[in-house]
Amino acid sequence: MLEDLVAQAKQVKEAYVFDLLSKRNVVGVGLGYKISHGVNTGELGLIVSVTHKADASALAVKDLVPQMLNGFKTDVVVTGKFRAQDSGIDPKGRWRPVVPPGVSIGHPGVTAGTFGCLVRKGDEVFILSNNHVLADVNAGKAGDPILQPGVADGGTADDHIAKLADYVSIDFGTSEPECSIAEFITKTLNYVAGAFGSSHQLQAVKKTPGVNRVDAALARPLSPDLVKNEILNIGVPIGVGAVTLGMDVQKMGRTTGHTTGKITQIDVTVQIDYDGPTALFSGQIIASPMSQGGDSGSAVLDMDKRVVGLLFAGSDAATIINPIGEVFSALNVELAL
Amino acid sequence: MVENDELERLRSVKNLYEADLMQKANVVGVGIGLRQRAGELTDEPVIVVSVLQKEPAGNIDAKDVIPTELDGVPVDVQAVGRLKAF
């Protein structure tokens, strides 16, 4: 059993951790899989982190890390000195002079979300994120200030980096009191079925009352030099793509940083809670849990760095994503390459 | 990799039953996905009905029971909790 093996390895680690940490150059001890020539061997062992590797001959015998400890292999990994994470790589920090996608951003009326990716309309570049991050769920007005970092991360008027430019309104459907939620859903979904039939050739921006396709907004940077397209910890996206079931994806977000997940559902019709009112979305993508509050607005990419979606909602068990094609056509933009 | 023909079939059945499924108690989403077994993804394409939490069949009104298949297409019920814009 894997759990038994892990439990054993833990015991061995506990028995030797202080001894190992007292050796020269050692800065950490943990459990992990041995990496050989960059490949995960699947073999559980003790990972000993060192500031740098030294020749055995240059070390005192007492400072040598044994190759085996009670039946578990050790793996010596160079990590350098550990430091408390500085603001240089903190997505919640204030980024200047250039703000990369993947970091905290928001409208002053919003806690904080994530700058997803850089897009363009003609020669002009824009910050892409969610309506509920940049436009405060339809409450924002064009020209409103956008802060980096967002308010929850200490952003104030001094952190103004962009202005709200455009957003797709979120339609919360009917407010007729005599229409129950169930009746409303049936009505709107029947409308969808009538409009689209079972054809898969959905028209990208066809608008159906009460049914949303995207939670998206654009902000115009105060200067184009203030932003770049290279997503923090991921790199420059190479284009856009589509998802398939079971595919691996990645994102860089303000709260959980760089994470990966798997596509578990496509073509999803789903009810999303906006802190009280719920909105119905169709044509959505669901991935395994890979995000938390504050990651909204993150661009979701495949492992070849093609942008496939815009993250906007989720739970402990799922991540909800707008397909990027729908986002781009609704806002009439393309990826800034 | 799921074949396109199979996806098309799932899509048409999903579109037919979606409004009905979304009305059932506890249901928050309907999509096309892969069956999960003991929390692990399998490679079996199914209609996925996402619910707030799973309930024993005995606790559910007959009208709210989710069928295990629809027109021959298997249905998998998955608990996702409340989905929030965040």
Side-chain angles (χ1 to χ4, degrees), chain A residues 20-335:
Chain A
L20 289 166
L21 282 171
S22 69
K23 292 180 188 290
R24 202 183 174 115
N25 301 337
V26 172
V27 291
V29 179
L31 296 186
Y33 292 107
K34 190 174 171 66
I35 309 283
S36 183
H37 303 292
V39 177
N40 185 338
T41 61
E43 196 181 349
L44 190 66
L46 270 67
I47 312 287
V48 180
S49 301
V50 296
T51 53
H52 59 280
K53 282 202 189 183
D55 261 8
S57 59
L59 287 171
V61 175
K62 68 171 178 52
D63 289 326
L64 291 173
V65 175
Q67 292 188 335
M68 291 286 266
L69 285 169
N70 288 9
F72 287 94
K73 279 194 185 157
T74 61
D75 194 10
V76 176
V77 177
V78 179
T79 54
K81 265 200 170 70
F82 291 126
R83 338 186 144 72
Q85 202 172 49
D86 61 41
S87 66
I89 46 165
D90 179 5
K92 296 175 190 165
R94 185 180 199 268
W95 286 75
R96 298 297 183 279
V98 181
V99 182
V103 303
S104 171
I105 199 168
H107 186 277
V110 169
T111 50
T114 299
F115 168 8
C117 62
L118 195 65
V119 297
R120 68 181 181 87
K121 203 185 273 191
D123 292 336
E124 224 185 341
V125 294
F126 295 90
I127 288 165
L128 174 68
S129 187
N130 297 134
N131 171 329
H132 81 268
V133 172
L134 298 180
D136 196 12
V137 196
N138 306 342
K141 302 268 177 301
D144 280 359
I146 300 301
L147 311 179
Q148 194 299 309
V151 173
D153 299 318
T156 67
D158 293 341
D159 301 309
H160 185 186
I161 59 147
K163 290 178 175 177
L164 177 60
D166 196 8
Y167 62 89
V168 180
S169 276
I170 294 168
D171 189 342
F172 289 93
T174 178
S175 55
E176 300 165 50
E178 70 272 21
C179 186
S180 72
I181 288 174
E183 282 167 342
F184 164 68
I185 289 173
T186 315
K187 222 167 65 184
T188 49
L189 288 178
N190 284 338
Y191 185 99
V192 179
F196 300 133
S198 61
S199 162
H200 64 287
Q201 291 182 318
L202 290 185
Q203 284 190 296
V205 286
K206 194 147 193 166
K207 195 80 185 80
T208 309
V211 182
N212 300 276
R213 309 285 293 185
V214 300
D215 177 342
L218 298 177
R220 180 183 283 111
L222 299 181
S223 145
D225 307 329
L226 203 50
V227 288
K228 61 176 176 178
N229 64 356
E230 185 186 351
I231 303 173
L232 190 63
N233 289 341
I234 291 180
V236 179
I238 62 163
V240 294
V243 298
T244 52
L245 290 174
M247 188 173 106
D248 290 320
V249 290
Q250 57 180 332
K251 76 98 188 58
M252 174 66 205
R254 171 263 180 204
T255 307
T256 62
H258 185 206
T259 59
T260 60
K262 262 189 198 315
I263 300 300
T264 59
Q265 291 185 56
I266 54 174
D267 267 331
V268 187
T269 296
V270 68
Q271 259 184 295
I272 304 293
D273 190 333
Y274 278 80
D275 230 356
T278 60
L280 192 62
F281 283 77
S282 67
Q284 302 304 299
I285 298 166
I286 298 189
S288 53
M290 59 187 286
S291 61
Q292 283 171 22
D295 287 330
S296 266
S298 302
V300 177
L301 291 85
D302 66 19
M303 301 316 277
D304 295 324
K305 301 182 191 173
R306 277 180 288 260
V307 180
V308 298
L310 184 66
L311 193 157
F312 80 108
S315 69
D316 289 342
T319 304
I320 318 293
I321 302 164
N322 303 146
I324 203 67
E326 300 257 4
V327 173
F328 283 5
S329 54
L331 290 166
N332 193 23
V333 294
E334 51 194 316
L335 194 62

Side-chain angles (χ1 to χ4, degrees), chain A residues 112-113 130 132-133 182-183 185-186 189-190 192-193 197-200 215 244-246 262-275 278 280 282 286 291-296 311-320, chain B residues 1-2 4 7-24 26-36 40-52 76 78-86:
Chain A
N130 297 134
H132 81 268
V133 172
E183 282 167 342
I185 289 173
T186 315
L189 288 178
N190 284 338
V192 179
S198 61
S199 162
H200 64 287
D215 177 342
T244 52
L245 290 174
K262 262 189 198 315
I263 300 300
T264 59
Q265 291 185 56
I266 54 174
D267 267 331
V268 187
T269 296
V270 68
Q271 259 184 295
I272 304 293
D273 190 333
Y274 278 80
D275 230 356
T278 60
L280 192 62
S282 67
I286 298 189
S291 61
Q292 283 171 22
D295 287 330
S296 266
L311 193 157
F312 80 108
S315 69
D316 289 342
T319 304
I320 318 293
Chain B
M1 190 72 187
V2 183
N4 278 334
L7 281 183
E8 272 314 297
R9 161 128 179 87
L10 260 67
R11 242 179 217 125
S12 61
V13 174
K14 185 198 85 141
N15 288 347
L16 213 52
Y17 290 96
E18 179 173 276
D20 182 40
L21 291 167
M22 288 295 289
Q23 274 189 77
K24 293 180 187 288
N26 245 343
V27 172
V28 293
V30 178
I32 292 166
L34 299 172
R35 186 187 291 283
Q36 291 190 17
E40 296 292 320
L41 275 188
T42 68
D43 55 8
E44 185 191 355
V46 292
I47 290 176
V48 178
V49 178
S50 299
V51 296
L52 291 176
D76 192 26
Q78 297 177 6
V80 292
R82 188 163 289 285
L83 298 169
K84 292 183 183 161
F86 59 28

